[in-house]
């Protein structure tokens, strides 16, 4: 079975704690849930990833053809805290287009161009 890799065109992390912040050029994307913020309100982050539709169609049409196939999204953990063996990552399509932006989590002042919470 052949393996075809498609890399993202753009990505960004969205933070509930900083709803206007953009982190479109950060090196790491995050999916977190934490209650360690002021007031005990959950602070969560989610990330968006965009793949090229033409690359996906090329693989499906010209490389796989009519044979069955399996697809996977591989993510890697840089810093593990609070995970257990049953933690899952849920994937959903976005309902519209978005701009990656030029911010980082550590940008001062916060960068607010591009996608945000």
């Amino acid at each position: 079975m052949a393996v075809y890799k498609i890399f993202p065109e753009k990505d960004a992390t969205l933070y509930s704690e900083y709803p206007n912040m953009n982190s479109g050029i950060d090196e790491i994307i995050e999916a977190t849930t934490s209650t360690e913020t002021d007031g005990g309100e959950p602070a969560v982050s989610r990330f968006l990833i965009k793949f090229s539709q033409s690359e996906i169609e090329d693989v499906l049409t010209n490389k796989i053809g009519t044979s069955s196939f399996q697809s996977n999204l591989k993510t890697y953990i840089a810093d593990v805290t609070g995970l257990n063996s049953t933690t899952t990552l849920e994937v959903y399509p976005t309902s519209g287009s978005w701009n990656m932006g030029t911010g980082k989590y550590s940008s001062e002042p916060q960068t607010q161009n591009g996608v945000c919470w």
Side-chain angles (χ1 to χ4, degrees), residues 94-111:
T94 58
S95 62
S97 61
W98 52 278
N99 178 4
M100 183 169 80
T102 60
K104 288 190 170 197
Y105 185 86
S106 60
S107 294
E108 281 294 328
Q110 284 182 1
T111 306

Side-chain angles (χ1 to χ4, degrees), residues 42-61:
V44 299
S45 66
R46 303 294 183 254
F47 60 86
L48 300 174
I49 304 173
K50 168 131 178 28
F51 295 93
S52 166
Q53 185 68 31
S54 61
E55 278 190 74
I56 294 170
E57 290 172 358
D58 177 57
V59 169
L60 293 174
T61 304

Side-chain angles (χ1 to χ4, degrees), residues 24-101:
I25 61 168
D26 242 326
E27 295 83 4
I28 293 179
I29 52 177
E30 295 183 82
T32 62
T33 301
S34 172
T35 56
E36 297 177 9
T37 61
D38 292 336
E41 290 295 318
V44 299
S45 66
R46 303 294 183 254
F47 60 86
L48 300 174
I49 304 173
K50 168 131 178 28
F51 295 93
S52 166
Q53 185 68 31
S54 61
E55 278 190 74
I56 294 170
E57 290 172 358
D58 177 57
V59 169
L60 293 174
T61 304
N62 300 319
K63 309 225 176 1
I64 295 173
T66 58
S67 63
S68 64
F69 69 94
Q70 177 182 352
S71 63
N72 297 289
L73 174 65
K74 292 200 180 229
T75 58
Y76 298 91
I77 299 172
D79 182 22
V80 180
T81 56
L83 292 180
N84 58 45
S85 62
T86 61
T87 299
T88 60
L89 180 65
E90 296 182 15
V91 179
Y92 299 97
T94 58
S95 62
S97 61
W98 52 278
N99 178 4
M100 183 169 80

